[in-house]
Amino acid sequence: MFTGIVEELGEIVATERLTDAARFTIRGKLVTSDAGHGDSIAVNGVCLTVVDVVDGDSFTVDVMGETLAHSSLGDLESGARVNLERAAALNSRLGGHLVQGHVDGTGAVLARTPSENWEVVRISLPDEIARYVVHKGSITVDGISLTVSDLGRDEAGQDWFEVSLIPTTLTLTNLASATVGTTVNLEVDVIAKYVERLQQRS
């Protein structure tokens, strides 16, 4: 379990493409400082398992084909910057919201609108998860816990939502460099999915 509060902006330092999977080596000094084999680290919002710790500042992870196909991790190459977060400890503060690291779908950055003190980013919303997203609700974008500031549907029937990024988010996460067209991982609030499931069974 994670909170969506990015701890570190890491870097993909090596990629190995396998038949139906991939192995990434990721540099992140902070998240690696107490990492060991089997620990969970969220990489752009995807919960991955540490295989090895390398040189004290990097770790390797194996990513299966299913994850590569249904998240933005399949597009990662050496040099890419990624958002990193260690699994939450039971005695830590919940600064964001409950995040599982299970990507529900991907969206694309549609527009960026800068202002003096923040920047509004509009992202496309897949049909299959649009019903879980509400105004002022929580959503995870590439592992970042954010608040939905607006949402709607364009003339072509494409759902979208907007988030407002403060300077800290722009400085400490990869959303600062996410240009129009960039694919991002989305995870909706798990509570909404549980409520829907309970209603279906009642």
Side-chain angles (χ1 to χ4, degrees):
M1 191 68 72
F2 305 91
T3 68
I5 303 300
V6 173
E7 294 185 277
E8 184 173 15
L9 192 56
E11 180 184 0
I12 304 292
V13 294
T15 62
E16 181 182 0
R17 300 292 173 173
L18 308 172
T19 303
D20 59 351
R23 173 166 288 192
F24 296 135
T25 302
I26 304 169
R27 181 180 294 118
K29 187 174 182 179
L30 175 62
V31 300
T32 308
S33 62
D34 60 353
H37 176 78
D39 287 346
S40 296
I41 295 178
V43 179
N44 279 359
V46 181
C47 178
L48 298 175
T49 301
V50 175
V51 176
D52 290 306
V53 174
V54 183
D55 298 329
D57 68 350
S58 302
F59 62 98
T60 61
V61 292
D62 289 327
V63 187
M64 61 183 178
E66 176 78 8
T67 303
L68 294 171
H70 293 93
S71 74
S72 67
L73 297 192
D75 299 329
L76 292 179
E77 299 291 346
S78 295
R81 304 305 298 272
V82 290
N83 299 322
L84 302 175
E85 181 192 355
R86 292 169 290 187
L90 290 177
N91 63 349
S92 63
R93 290 185 175 90
L94 182 60
H97 70 283
L98 294 177
V99 176
Q100 295 181 298
H102 302 160
V103 172
D104 292 304
T106 59
V109 175
L110 299 176
R112 301 187 67 116
T113 307
S115 65
E116 184 177 355
N117 296 304
W118 66 84
E119 187 165 353
V120 176
V121 179
R122 179 173 292 190
I123 300 169
S124 64
L125 190 57
D127 292 341
E128 62 269 21
I129 62 173
R131 64 184 180 276
Y132 301 118
V133 180
V134 297
H135 186 231
K136 301 300 182 184
S138 296
I139 191 167
T140 309
V141 179
D142 264 2
I144 310 164
S145 174
L146 296 168
T147 301
V148 176
S149 57
D150 198 6
L151 71 167
R153 178 177 294 176
D154 64 22
E155 295 178 354
Q158 171 66 64
D159 289 296
W160 54 263
F161 70 96
E162 290 181 343
V163 290
S164 299
L165 307 182
I166 62 174
T168 298
T169 305
L170 291 169
T171 301
L172 300 179
T173 74
N174 64 3
L175 281 188
S177 59
T179 57
V180 172
T182 298
T183 300
V184 292
N185 295 319
L186 304 176
E187 181 184 336
V188 299
D189 191 341
V190 67
I191 296 174
K193 293 188 288 185
Y194 279 127
V195 169
E196 179 183 63
R197 179 63 172 165
L198 288 170
Q199 289 179 331
Q200 289 173 345
R201 295 182 64 86
S202 61

